[in-house]
Amino acid sequence: MDLDRTAEEEEFRRGLRAWLDATLPKLPPKPSPDDWPARRAYDCAWQRALYDAGYAGLHWPADAGGRGALPGKHLIFLEETERAGAPYVGANFVGLLHAGPTIATEGTAAQRARWLPPILRGEEVWCQGFSEPDAGSDLASLRTRAVRDGDAYVVTGSKIWTSHAEVADWCELLVRTGPPDSGRRGLTWLALSMDAPGVTVRPLRTLAGSAEFAEVFLDGARVPLSHRVGAENDGWRVTMVTLSYERGTAFAGEVVACRRTLVRLARAARENGRWDDPALRRRLGRLNAEFGALWRLVQWNTSEVEAALRAGGDGVPGAGSSVFKLRYSHARQELYDAAADVMGPLSLDADHEWTTGRLTSLAYTIAAGTSQIQRNIIAERVLGLPKGR
């Protein structure tokens, strides 16, 4: 693992810091967490500012609209924007962190030209249509059906936990094109326009009070054949590319955010007298080491991707992304459990950020593949153990 930064990378860091120092004070106030149309507008305006300044899609290929930088430069971007308290990708999460990279890797030239520039400019928002009421962790058992009709697929079925569907323009949609019993061999990855006839969105309110997820009902929605990414019935492989990005790089910036949160938590403990408890200090110290190790794991995975790119590979994160995702999910929950101990009764205030953070952390062992699924992947693909019966 190469932890050294080149002179060019350090110059990039200095330029980014100067731009953040000049730009962040001019941003308007963040909208209400419950106002997703306003949040979309805010997030997309920030993405446009990044694009205009040359910081959008740093590690995306140049022919996909990016700057073609190695992933190490993108890590510097994540470090500096998180430390400066810059806005998160928000509503642009799906487009920027896994749908976009998947299209950049698997899409045709026409698909890359159509979809990637608007994602980078903050003009179009994507949502993810993978999970179904009876196919969550067992994604290969999904039932949403797509049947060819001329130059289009006709899609019927439903999706659940569809991130940002209520404000999205496009959906990365996984459907069954093979026989009902075809399992993972009969799936196809489609790009669905959310304003197509036959698409109905019903927002879902989470335990934290947010409506960032939705049910999506598909009643004969038509998707052009040209909107299929990859071959028909090859959607499982394409989806594994999507999930590799989601598990391997999508959460990297959040590690930096958690380390910043931990510093704030230690400060709060000193202010309210909880710092005198040696058990708490040990607990926070272990979490500090945990997130430090997770950041090193991000760097390790990034070094592997860079080596693959130099050797002519595609740069898709490997099975090590599951190692990171598994441990990060639990470390984040442990962080907010510790926050509840430090903050005491304040952690029960429904409107307080610590409470929201703790409730949100509960989803991380489910989102992007449950911890049980990650353990199976690690056992089979990293440790070489036989598949469970």
Side-chain angles (χ1 to χ4, degrees), residues 252-268:
E254 295 192 32
V255 175
V256 182
C258 284
R259 297 178 80 178
R260 186 155 47 91
T261 297
L262 186 59
V263 171
R264 293 175 54 221
L265 185 59
R267 185 183 304 121

Side-chain angles (χ1 to χ4, degrees), residues 128-136 139 141-146 155-162 171 173-176 192 198-202 214-221:
Q128 186 185 74
F130 284 5
S131 295
E132 297 181 6
D134 295 318
L139 186 59
S141 68
L142 66 84
R143 300 178 183 176
T144 295
R145 185 85 183 147
V155 184
T156 303
S158 66
K159 296 292 180 177
I160 198 168
W161 309 125
T162 311
C171 177
L173 185 70
L174 194 60
V175 298
R176 184 164 303 285
L192 166 73
V199 178
T200 301
V201 176
R202 182 183 299 163
E215 294 177 286
V216 175
F217 299 93
L218 304 160
D219 184 12

Side-chain angles (χ1 to χ4, degrees), residues 335-352:
L335 170 64
Y336 281 96
D337 284 347
D341 287 347
V342 170
M343 305 310 296
L346 188 60
S347 67
L348 300 177
D349 183 348
D351 295 324
H352 199 277

Side-chain angles (χ1 to χ4, degrees), residues 43-332:
D43 295 338
C44 289
W46 171 245
Q47 182 60 29
R48 181 67 198 214
L50 291 173
Y51 179 85
D52 290 341
Y55 293 118
L58 286 171
H59 59 309
W60 286 24
D63 62 357
R67 294 180 61 180
L70 289 173
K73 188 171 285 188
H74 181 57
L75 285 191
I76 294 174
F77 171 82
L78 293 176
E79 283 183 298
E80 295 302 324
T81 51
E82 286 290 350
R83 286 173 178 167
Y88 186 53
V89 290
N92 294 307
F93 178 90
V94 175
L96 285 169
L97 302 185
H98 37 95
T102 301
I103 294 169
T105 302
E106 298 290 334
T108 65
Q111 289 170 343
R112 289 152 68 99
R114 166 60 187 88
W115 285 312
L116 298 182
I119 291 174
L120 290 178
R121 293 193 296 261
E123 294 171 354
E124 293 182 342
V125 170
W126 284 66
C127 62
Q128 186 185 74
F130 284 5
S131 295
E132 297 181 6
D134 295 318
S137 298
D138 185 15
L139 186 59
S141 68
L142 66 84
R143 300 178 183 176
T144 295
R145 185 85 183 147
V147 178
R148 282 206 194 199
D149 179 28
D151 61 354
Y153 290 101
V154 179
V155 184
T156 303
S158 66
K159 296 292 180 177
I160 198 168
W161 309 125
T162 311
S163 306
H164 306 313
E166 69 275 21
V167 293
D169 303 292
W170 293 92
C171 177
E172 51 172 3
L173 185 70
L174 194 60
V175 298
R176 184 164 303 285
T177 44
D181 61 350
S182 57
R184 65 185 62 181
R185 297 183 304 277
L187 303 181
T188 299
W189 201 106
L190 302 176
L192 166 73
S193 174
M194 293 299 287
D195 63 1
V199 178
T200 301
V201 176
R202 182 183 299 163
L204 293 170
R205 189 162 295 278
T206 69
L207 186 65
S210 173
E212 64 197 73
F213 299 114
E215 294 177 286
V216 175
F217 299 93
L218 304 160
D219 184 12
R222 297 181 68 87
V223 179
L225 296 181
S226 60
H227 290 186
R228 183 188 68 218
V229 176
E232 184 172 292
N233 295 330
D234 192 32
W236 183 262
R237 184 190 62 79
V238 178
T239 298
M240 291 305 101
V241 173
T242 304
L243 295 179
S244 292
Y245 282 115
E246 187 177 19
R247 296 163 183 168
T249 57
F251 295 121
E254 295 192 32
V255 175
V256 182
C258 284
R259 297 178 80 178
R260 186 155 47 91
T261 297
L262 186 59
V263 171
R264 293 175 54 221
L265 185 59
R267 185 183 304 121
R270 290 186 176 94
E271 292 172 353
N272 68 12
R274 292 286 287 122
W275 190 253
D276 295 335
D277 183 352
L280 176 69
R281 294 200 302 274
R282 285 194 297 270
R283 188 177 184 184
L284 297 185
R286 186 186 61 77
L287 282 168
N288 185 54
E290 184 91 40
F291 284 109
L294 279 167
W295 185 249
R296 291 301 186 215
L297 184 56
V298 169
Q299 293 175 306
W300 177 289
N301 290 337
T302 299
S303 292
E304 284 193 329
V305 170
E306 288 188 352
L309 288 170
R310 291 191 178 99
D314 56 19
V316 177
S321 61
S322 287
V323 177
F324 167 79
K325 198 275 175 180
L326 174 65
R327 190 53 224 157
Y328 169 71
S329 299
H330 290 272
R332 185 183 179 96

